[in-house]
Amino acid sequence: MVKRKIIKWIRKDSAAAWIFLAPSGIGFALFYLIPFAMGLFYSFMDSTVNGEFVGLDHYRELIASNSFRKASSNTFYFSAVSVPLILALSLGLAMLLNKNIYLRKWLRTAYVLPLVVPVASIILIWQILFDWNGSLNAWLSGFGFERVDWMKTDAARNVIIIVYLWKNVGYNVILFLAGLQQIPKDYYETAQVEGAGRLRQFSSITLVYLTSTMFFVVIMSILNSFKVFRETYLIAGDYPHDSIYMMQHFMNNMFTSLDIQKLTAAATLMVGCILLIVMGLFALERRYRQFME
């Protein structure tokens, strides 16, 4: 009887789905979910070995810390500026590449290349470009402009935004291209016959049918903006200029000093903020769908 039930369950589509998802689920639990739960537990303890429960003391110390406030404000400022920029840029490039323009295939390849080239091998070029004696300053001085110490002034923030756009715009362009190619051309032809201009077609057709794609791109862009530490660290080191001192810098320094409690508390706060942002976007997208229906 039990054997028959097992065989009957295995033959179901849901059983096949669970079997295929099991390896990924186990790996996610072992390497992400369980370590994060342990970190959350340690953030309430005074030590990782035979520690005592201290409640929210570590979180209070974090909020009172100037370096943590600076890191969190820089991180959210970077996301608030870079995410709208990459959305506008990637959507514009996707709409351009969706047309029959000259060298379209080569341009598509060029935007995808940053996704396959290791960042560590490209960072040297960015360092040479934005160094005090680098290529960009050489060009500026050739036109009579003063040299700029890009990575030791507030201009460092602009450099990191440019690197972020260069690295991630290709992925968003691919997603937007896939969404644009799903929109029937008959809709645009009908709109032209009825006298709708390009702006009206963009707002009433393109944006409406790209809602799901736009929602996914926004979430991925926000997540990628929180992962810009790798490029920042390789370009500017573990103690960069104050304008690009991010949350990951703070956590990396806590790890270096083996302050595991503050590290896990900062990671918990960061994950909580990301979850709030994503949940807010889900609620906004749900309301937008109800409005359009």
Side-chain angles (χ1 to χ4, degrees), residues 5 11 58 60 63 80 92 113 118 127 143-144 152 168-170 173 176 189 204 231 236 244-245 258 264 282-283 292:
K5 288 184 177 180
R11 290 178 177 177
H58 297 302
R60 295 191 186 97
I63 296 174
L113 277 178
Q127 289 175 334
F143 287 101
K152 295 182 180 179
N168 297 285
V169 71
V173 167
F176 277 129
E189 294 174 358
S204 300
E231 292 83 358
I244 55 173
Y245 184 77
L258 295 179
T264 53
F282 269 108
M292 293 304 299

Side-chain angles (χ1 to χ4, degrees), residues 80-251:
V81 173
S82 60
V83 171
L85 279 176
I86 198 171
L87 285 177
L89 182 61
S90 55
L91 180 57
L93 291 173
M95 293 179 65
L96 182 65
L97 294 177
N98 197 38
K99 299 179 180 179
N100 292 323
I101 61 172
Y102 184 65
L103 297 177
R104 182 176 65 173
K105 292 183 179 179
W106 292 99
L107 289 173
R108 288 180 176 179
T109 304
Y111 290 124
V112 174
L113 277 178
L115 298 176
V116 298
V117 177
V119 176
S121 62
I122 300 297
I123 289 300
L124 180 62
I125 298 176
W126 289 101
Q127 289 175 334
I128 295 173
L129 184 63
F130 291 104
D131 190 69
W132 172 259
N133 294 316
S135 303
L136 185 57
N137 277 328
W139 295 333
L140 290 176
S141 60
F143 287 101
F145 295 98
E146 294 184 359
R147 290 177 178 266
V148 179
D149 198 350
W150 295 97
M151 300 312 299
K152 295 182 180 179
T153 61
D154 290 337
R157 182 178 287 163
N158 299 327
V159 173
I160 299 304
I161 291 175
I162 292 172
V163 174
Y164 167 79
L165 294 175
W166 169 84
K167 177 63 179 176
N168 297 285
V169 71
Y171 180 66
N172 292 352
V173 167
I174 293 174
L175 295 176
F176 277 129
L177 270 174
L180 288 170
Q181 292 173 359
Q182 296 298 320
I183 303 175
K185 295 182 179 180
D186 297 342
Y187 294 169
Y188 293 103
E189 294 174 358
T190 303
Q192 288 178 355
V193 171
E194 294 181 355
R198 291 186 178 181
L199 183 61
R200 183 61 183 275
Q201 294 178 30
F202 175 75
S203 60
S204 300
I205 299 176
T206 306
L207 288 182
V208 171
Y209 284 93
L210 282 180
T211 301
S212 300
T213 305
M214 182 79 71
F215 174 70
F216 181 74
V217 170
V218 169
I219 292 179
M220 294 304 300
S221 299
I222 292 174
L223 295 179
N224 288 330
S225 70
F226 278 90
K227 296 190 296 184
V228 76
F229 166 74
R230 177 180 54 183
E231 292 83 358
T232 308
Y233 181 83
L234 291 174
I235 294 176
D238 49 356
Y239 288 97
H241 187 263
D242 285 351
S243 62
I244 55 173
Y245 184 77
M246 304 292 186
M247 280 287 295
Q248 293 90 339
H249 286 97
F250 178 84
M251 290 187 285

Side-chain angles (χ1 to χ4, degrees), residues 249-260 262-263:
H249 286 97
F250 178 84
M251 290 187 285
N252 181 69
N253 295 335
M254 291 299 102
F255 176 77
T256 303
S257 61
L258 295 179
D259 195 344
I260 305 300
K262 286 186 179 179
L263 167 63

